[in-house]
């Protein structure tokens, strides 16, 4: 049975596609790519159908990641097929939990940086959209730092299903 993870930010052109690309690479490196499906979406539909922000693509490519992405809006009906919904900031966390059709679905929503033990109390990944290229680099660093802990959690869930 496939384990499904969806990363969610505001418009699905900066943070969530970056997290999707990075985590998909970690899943493949771990040999779980046949067991874990990774995608992303936005809380809003403003950029639906657009590619990732060129600055997102640039920072990903500069760091060895391939980025092919089309933005879409998260739909509440997706909760039934998802195992984990990963919010990029506390605003997304609240919006997603309000969209959740059931309490069980709301429990599927987690903050990405909650998987980074060094993150401290500020678990938001700041939105780099209105800033310069440095913000996209900082975003990538936060995403990469949290990906190891997230991979460990997903691996445990996947192995728990197989056992």
């Amino acid at each position: 049975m496939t384990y499904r993870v969806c990363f969610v930010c505001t418009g699905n052109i900066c943070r969530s596609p970056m997290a999707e690309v990075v985590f998909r690479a970690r899943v493949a490196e771990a040999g779980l790519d046949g067991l874990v499906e990774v995608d992303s979406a936005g809380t809003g539909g403003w950029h639906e159908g657009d590619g990732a922000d060129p600055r997102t693509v640039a920072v990903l490519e500069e760091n060895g990641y391939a980025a092919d992405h089309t933005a879409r809006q998260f739909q509440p009906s997706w909760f039934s097929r998802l195992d984990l919904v990963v919010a990029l900031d506390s605003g997304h966390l609240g919006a997603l939990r309000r969209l959740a059709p059931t309490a069980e679905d709301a429990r599927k929503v987690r903050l990405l940086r909650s998987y980074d033990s060094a993150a401290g109390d500020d678990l938001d990944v700041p939105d780099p959209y209105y800033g310069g290229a440095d913000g996209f680099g900082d975003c990538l660093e936060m995403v990469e730092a949290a990906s190891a802990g997230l991979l460990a959690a997903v691996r445990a869930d996947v192995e728990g299903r197989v056992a």
Side-chain angles (χ1 to χ4, degrees), residues 101-113:
T102 68
E104 180 181 342
D105 289 328
R107 287 190 293 275
K108 295 178 182 180
V109 184
R110 300 275 192 274
L111 280 168
L112 174 63
R113 292 192 73 209

Side-chain angles (χ1 to χ4, degrees), residues 1-139:
M1 178 178 273
T2 303
Y3 189 93
R4 291 177 173 84
V5 180
C6 184
F7 293 92
V8 182
C9 70
T10 305
N12 193 218
I13 60 169
C14 297
R15 294 172 284 179
S16 59
M18 188 179 292
E20 173 188 354
V21 167
V22 169
F23 194 64
R24 185 176 291 124
R26 296 300 175 267
V27 165
E29 291 165 4
L32 297 173
D33 48 345
L35 300 172
V36 179
E37 182 181 290
V38 182
D39 62 16
S40 65
T43 57
W46 310 279
H47 298 286
E48 227 171 350
D50 295 344
D53 185 293
R55 298 166 293 178
T56 297
V57 173
V59 78
L60 285 168
E61 289 178 349
E62 288 166 10
N63 288 277
Y65 299 100
D68 181 26
H69 175 74
T70 303
R72 62 197 188 134
Q73 184 175 3
F74 188 88
Q75 300 299 316
S77 62
W78 297 355
F79 275 105
S80 64
R81 67 174 178 81
L82 293 169
D83 298 288
L84 183 61
V85 180
V86 184
L88 276 289
D89 72 27
S90 56
H92 307 130
L93 179 80
L96 289 162
R97 286 187 173 162
R98 285 189 298 277
L99 282 176
T102 68
E104 180 181 342
D105 289 328
R107 287 190 293 275
K108 295 178 182 180
V109 184
R110 300 275 192 274
L111 280 168
L112 174 63
R113 292 192 73 209
S114 68
Y115 294 97
D116 179 0
S117 60
D121 292 335
D122 185 5
L123 299 181
D124 288 351
V125 176
D127 188 351
Y129 185 77
Y130 294 104
D134 289 349
F136 287 82
D138 294 344
C139 181

